[in-house]
Amino acid sequence: MRHLLKLHASPNDDAAAHWRDEIDVFLRDAADSFAPSIRQRIDTADIWRWAATRSANPGLPTVCPWTIETLLDGDIEILLSALTGPDTAARRTKS
C-alpha cells in the first residue's frame, strides 16, 4: 500500500517506474500465495491506517479503498483511481 500511496502522490517522480515494478511484483506474489484461509488474518483496515499515516498525501480516504480481491487483481490503475477518483487518474496520465 505504501508504494501505491507514493505513486499516487508523485506519479512523475524519477522513482515512479521502480514503485510500479515493486507494486506489480508484490501483488503478483501475493496473488500466487493467497489462500482463502489467510483472509481472516489480513486486516486491510490496520494496514491502511499504517500506510496512510506514513504518507504525506492529503485527502486520502479515511478507510481502506480496496478489498482483498481488488488488491489481488493487481490492476495498478484501478487501485490508484480508487484513492481519489477519475480526476486523479486523468492527471496521472498527463506528463
Side-chain angles (χ1 to χ4, degrees), residues 52-86:
T53 58
R54 285 157 180 77
S55 172
N57 297 5
L60 289 174
T62 56
V63 296
C64 184
W66 309 299
T67 63
I68 292 172
E69 291 79 12
T70 306
L71 287 165
L72 294 176
D73 283 346
D75 188 320
I76 294 173
E77 290 307 315
I78 288 175
L79 295 170
L80 289 171
S81 68
L83 291 172
T84 57

Side-chain angles (χ1 to χ4, degrees), residues 26-75:
F26 177 81
L27 293 176
R28 197 170 343 113
D29 288 348
D32 289 345
S33 302
F34 184 78
S37 60
I38 295 173
R39 177 181 306 282
Q40 65 194 20
R41 292 186 276 166
I42 298 174
D43 185 349
T44 55
D46 188 48
I47 297 167
W48 174 256
R49 279 190 300 277
W50 181 87
T53 58
R54 285 157 180 77
S55 172
N57 297 5
L60 289 174
T62 56
V63 296
C64 184
W66 309 299
T67 63
I68 292 172
E69 291 79 12
T70 306
L71 287 165
L72 294 176
D73 283 346
D75 188 320

